[in-house]
Amino acid sequence: MTTLIEVPEAEPGIVAPKSKSKAGGGLGRYIVVRFFLIIPTVFILVTLVFFLMRVIGDPITASQGGRLPPDVLAQRIHDAGYDRPVLVQYFEYLGQLITGNFGTTITDRRPVVEVLTTFGAATLELSINALIVALAVGIPFGLIAAQHRDKTPDALLRFFAILCYATPVFFSGLLLKLTFSVWLGWFPVAGRASTRTELAMSALAAPSGIYWLDALRSGNFAALGDIAAHAVLPAIALGLLTAGVFLRLVRTNVIGTLGKDYVEAGRSRGVSEFRLVTKHAYKPALIPIITVMGLQIALMLGGAILTETTFEWKGLGYQLVQYLNARDFVAVQGIVVLLAIIVAVTNFIVDIIAALIDPRVRY
Amino acid sequence: MSTPALTPPRQPLFSRLPVVSHLKKSVGLQRGMLIVGVVLSGLFILTSIFAPLLAPYGYSQLSDGSGSFPTQEAPSGKHLLGTTVGGYDVLSRVIWGSQTALAVIVVSVVMSLFLGVALGLLSGYFGGWLDRILVVVADAIYAFPTLLLAIVISIVISRGQSSFWGGIFSCAFSITVVFVPQYFRVIRAETIRLKAEPFVESAKVLGASSLRIIGRHIFKNATRTLPLMFTLNASEAILTLAGLGFLGFGIEPTSAAEWGFDLNKALADTSSGIWWTGVFPGIAIVLTVLGLTLVGESINDLNDPRIRGRKRAGRTPAAPVTQSTPSEAGKP
């Protein structure tokens, strides 16, 4: 997450001239107000998920019911405190969350925090890979479509964008697997790395969990190749899902800015169409893209659950489905709460970046 | 849909219907997109209505007069699209799947329309603490991964898998919870804008009740963007349903055919090169979503004067649009 925050530091040049008026204080105030808005968002989702999960019954009966004799079951429910009033449990859970205690999973009795850190890195890696694919496909194609507005390339690219949206990740994943792993044999079928690489990665001291980072740090280039081969198909499957959104956004916004007077002035001075698109119309069109990127994070996390299941990518989404099938609701609750926090924090960062770029956002 | 001040003669109802009026406005590429979308959506609806006639077998049929179906058989004369691991006929399940999808779309969109529009109107018109609470809750839900929320809710409602209507309703309700905030936001924003309009003011002066103002004056004007949202949400509903099915939280194969569930089962087949079990249900999803999205997309473009192509303006389309119509199309 911290890597994302570095972006605003590169931008103070844009903000500086405005700070002569009271905009500097305005920005500070905006950041503080916006920061405190994270709390109700997370709080509402935690509450919602907690009570939804308790509607089903207590977590121990849900996961172990039928497998344990009734008296043992009752004893375990009592030990875990699930026989107390729901409201008491709710406030206790909130208290635990504030201290960073997400509870212990019921099925494999691991601290939820440990599950989150182990598998979170894999999901982060997948999301970064996919985001790279999405931006690398979406932005240039969007520019091309805008430049050739209403002509054949535009029509084809817009159709491609809609197709990206219309294809579920698991279907594009299935097609990619079928074509490139089974028939052509270029890439492995599933997983994050081959068993040997996985062993090498887990043997490292203080691994970050992000495989390519670990491989680079330990100078293990054979492993790096293996990791890259495994990463290609999942990244494309998940990346294409958001690439279509970026393509459409870039197209619409660049078309909007291309109609502005200053672009027309540039055109009258003989600036080439290519330069008008890439230089003049492109930058202002980026602001809405950054704003929408916040919402894309949520879409991407949802897509990650499906991608991870398709490619047996052992990340948070894959694990979440395992826990859901095992009816381990403590683990599910922990993962959902973590994802809620991630979404809220990324939206916060995105809003701040948008405010830094465009002073009109602050109020 | 058209600028209200400039259309004095009232056209017949048919040509004022959302899609029909858009078709008349469209030209060239946009018209093509809209027509393809309408055709695909029409095919989808017809298939789901006539599924019992079109499908060669039942969705959970495992045998006929000549014995049980073979498993994982490649497409052949008897099973045009092959059979699955469990021995189901792929073609029949693809056709029956459209019925499940349509049922979920209708139930979920109707429920979320009703709830979202009602809450949006109330919240926008009355404001105050109710408005603040609803906005915060809607924003919290809106930002959250839709699929994740749908999974949690479907687990709570159906505790996993269930019967046809039970499954449909639990899927539809999960999708509804995700959609209500979207309708709510759009309608609320429109309501707040309309509240300040002179015609609402004059209705108030004349002594109209709040209920009448909301129901007559605001409702009609605030719901202009709904056809667009309807089509876009219908496609999202299909994707969510398929996602739920793919993860195993959908409808059981013996209760109904569901494309996402079939794709889940097909995943294991791919490594042995069996493609027909996954490709056909997948194509069904893509075509359906594509059709609905093309319709929605075209409506969106035609509502937005900056994007809309002009009908025979006499000049080349490269000329910038200079009309000063403010665009309030439902853009995120």
Side-chain angles (χ1 to χ4, degrees):
Chain A
M1 288 298 102
T2 42
T3 49
L4 279 173
I5 315 177
E6 279 163 23
V7 183
E9 263 126 48
E11 308 281 6
I14 299 173
V15 187
K18 290 274 164 192
S19 59
K20 269 178 221 156
S21 57
K22 57 181 182 135
L27 179 66
R29 200 172 146 263
Y30 176 73
I31 293 179
V32 171
V33 170
R34 184 62 191 76
F35 179 77
F36 281 107
L37 278 176
I38 296 179
I39 298 169
T41 310
V42 173
F43 172 75
I44 287 166
L45 285 171
V46 168
T47 310
L48 191 72
V49 171
F50 180 89
F51 284 105
L52 277 176
M53 287 297 180
R54 286 311 148 87
V55 169
I56 315 175
D58 71 276
I60 292 181
T61 317
S63 67
Q64 311 287 329
R67 262 177 260 170
L68 295 174
D71 51 327
V72 181
L73 199 66
Q75 183 60 42
R76 278 198 63 184
I77 290 172
H78 181 74
D79 289 347
Y82 290 130
D83 50 356
R84 292 172 299 157
V86 179
L87 271 181
V88 175
Q89 296 179 40
Y90 170 65
F91 285 114
E92 192 190 72
Y93 183 67
L94 282 185
Q96 285 177 348
L97 276 187
I98 290 168
T99 57
N101 177 5
F102 283 63
T104 311
T105 67
I106 293 165
T107 40
D108 47 8
R109 299 214 170 199
R110 293 167 70 182
V112 175
V113 175
E114 189 193 305
V115 175
L116 297 179
T117 48
T118 330
F119 295 103
T123 304
L124 183 64
E125 187 183 330
L126 176 67
S127 312
I128 292 172
N129 294 345
L131 197 62
I132 292 171
V133 172
L135 292 175
V137 172
I139 292 181
F141 279 6
L143 288 178
I144 295 173
Q147 201 183 352
H148 300 273
R149 180 185 174 187
D150 293 333
K151 305 214 184 77
T152 324
D154 182 29
L156 291 177
L157 284 172
R158 290 181 72 191
F159 186 74
F160 169 75
I162 296 177
L163 205 60
C164 281
Y165 167 78
T167 316
V169 203
F170 45 88
F171 182 51
S172 53
L174 186 136
L175 288 180
L176 288 170
K177 261 170 108 166
L178 210 55
T179 320
F180 294 106
S181 321
V182 179
W183 289 337
L184 296 172
W186 291 355
F187 300 108
V189 178
R192 282 180 75 193
S194 52
T195 325
R196 235 179 76 201
T197 316
E198 267 182 7
L199 285 176
M201 289 298 113
S202 56
L204 287 176
S208 67
I210 299 174
Y211 277 1
W212 52 264
L213 203 65
D214 288 344
L216 271 179
R217 277 201 316 197
S218 61
N220 188 345
F221 289 105
L224 196 63
D226 183 54
I227 292 158
H230 279 85
V232 172
L233 295 185
I236 294 178
L238 184 54
L240 282 183
L241 178 74
T242 28
V245 181
F246 285 133
L247 198 164
R248 278 154 58 174
L249 262 178
V250 171
R251 179 188 175 275
T252 317
N253 286 303
V254 169
I255 285 178
T257 44
L258 272 179
K260 290 267 167 69
D261 290 343
Y262 72 90
V263 176
E264 194 65 16
R267 190 178 283 130
S268 67
R269 271 186 269 115
V271 180
S272 73
E273 277 301 309
F274 178 77
R275 208 179 144 75
L276 278 178
V277 168
T278 51
K279 208 81 191 166
H280 297 243
Y282 174 55
K283 272 204 185 145
L286 277 184
I287 297 168
I289 294 169
I290 291 169
T291 323
V292 171
M293 239 162 99
L295 286 175
Q296 291 313 302
I297 302 288
L299 180 68
M300 213 168 223
L301 282 175
I305 300 174
L306 296 168
T307 316
E308 286 176 8
T309 312
T310 314
F311 288 97
E312 285 163 49
W313 185 279
K314 303 229 163 34
L316 273 185
Y318 180 84
Q319 210 54 34
L320 177 73
V321 175
Q322 305 298 314
Y323 282 128
L324 273 168
N325 283 328
R327 298 283 180 273
D328 186 336
F329 293 131
V330 176
V332 171
Q333 208 168 301
I335 294 176
V336 173
V337 167
L338 178 82
L339 292 178
I341 294 172
I342 290 177
V343 169
V345 171
T346 33
N347 278 332
F348 165 68
I349 294 168
V350 164
D351 280 359
I352 297 301
I353 294 175
L356 283 172
I357 295 175
D358 185 355
R360 281 171 301 175
V361 175
R362 299 170 222 159
Y363 34 79
Chain B
M1 305 299 118
S2 51
T3 41
L6 296 173
T7 50
R10 211 167 160 81
Q11 286 163 339
L13 178 69
F14 177 72
S15 52
R16 279 187 290 127
L17 285 176
V19 174
V20 179
S21 72
H22 287 103
L23 195 63
K24 288 199 166 163
K25 266 198 290 194
S26 61
V27 279
L29 180 67
Q30 261 165 359
R31 171 167 274 186
M33 274 171 59
L34 185 55
I35 291 175
V36 172
V38 170
V39 168
L40 283 175
S41 314
L43 268 180
F44 163 67
I45 294 169
L46 286 179
T47 313
S48 59
I49 292 172
F50 295 110
L53 301 175
L54 290 170
Y57 307 103
Y59 50 80
S60 59
Q61 194 176 342
L62 289 168
S63 60
D64 59 4
S66 58
S68 8
F69 294 161
T71 58
Q72 295 190 320
E73 197 196 46
S76 65
K78 190 163 174 253
H79 299 284
L80 286 176
L81 302 183
T83 57
T84 68
V85 168
Y88 297 123
D89 180 58
V90 175
L91 177 63
S92 308
R93 280 191 69 83
V94 168
I95 291 174
W96 282 103
S98 63
Q99 214 171 45
T100 317
L102 187 68
V104 169
I105 290 178
V106 170
V107 175
S108 65
V109 173
V110 166
M111 281 203 290
S112 34
L113 261 178
F114 190 74
L115 270 176
V117 171
L119 288 176
L121 286 172
L122 287 178
S123 181
Y125 187 77
F126 290 112
W129 60 269
L130 174 81
D131 182 44
R132 290 206 193 120
I133 291 175
L134 284 175
V135 167
V136 173
V137 172
D139 279 356
I141 296 177
Y142 184 68
F144 202 59
T146 51
L147 183 66
L148 197 53
L149 199 62
I151 293 173
V152 171
I153 292 164
S154 83
I155 277 261
V156 171
I157 296 175
S158 66
R159 305 180 186 193
Q161 300 180 325
S162 50
S163 64
F164 181 70
W165 282 111
I168 299 253
F169 271 104
S170 83
C171 280
F173 190 75
S174 320
I175 296 167
T176 303
V177 172
V178 172
F179 282 168
V180 165
Q182 299 182 13
Y183 288 94
F184 170 78
R185 284 165 73 118
V186 172
I187 299 294
R188 177 181 168 273
E190 279 284 285
T191 309
I192 287 177
R193 191 182 64 82
L194 290 166
K195 207 168 69 169
E197 294 278 324
F199 65 83
V200 174
E201 203 93 327
S202 41
K204 252 187 215 161
V205 172
L206 286 173
S209 68
S210 299
L211 194 71
R212 187 177 161 84
I213 294 178
I214 293 178
R216 254 197 102 71
H217 301 282
I218 294 184
F219 175 73
K220 270 199 166 176
N221 287 297
T223 46
R224 282 183 310 142
T225 48
L226 285 186
L228 166 69
M229 295 195 62
F230 174 83
T231 45
L232 292 184
N233 277 352
S235 54
E236 212 178 315
I238 295 188
L239 290 176
T240 310
L241 170 73
L244 282 176
F246 178 75
L247 293 175
F249 305 114
I251 304 162
E252 262 183 67
T254 45
S255 322
E258 205 278 302
W259 296 328
F261 176 88
D262 290 355
L263 272 165
N264 179 6
K265 293 288 160 236
L267 201 59
D269 297 344
T270 50
S271 40
S272 44
I274 294 168
W275 53 273
W276 57 87
T277 52
V279 168
F280 295 117
I283 289 177
I285 298 176
V286 173
L287 287 182
T288 311
V289 178
L290 194 65
L292 291 167
T293 313
L294 280 173
V295 174
E297 190 79 347
S298 310
I299 294 180
N300 185 28
D301 285 1
L302 292 168
N303 283 348
D304 188 341
R306 290 177 309 168
I307 304 286
R308 178 169 69 211
R310 296 280 154 181
K311 207 172 201 172
R312 282 183 290 277
R315 258 158 272 149
T316 43
V321 179
T322 45
Q323 214 148 329
S324 60
T325 327
S327 66
E328 280 135 8
K331 275 280 171 49

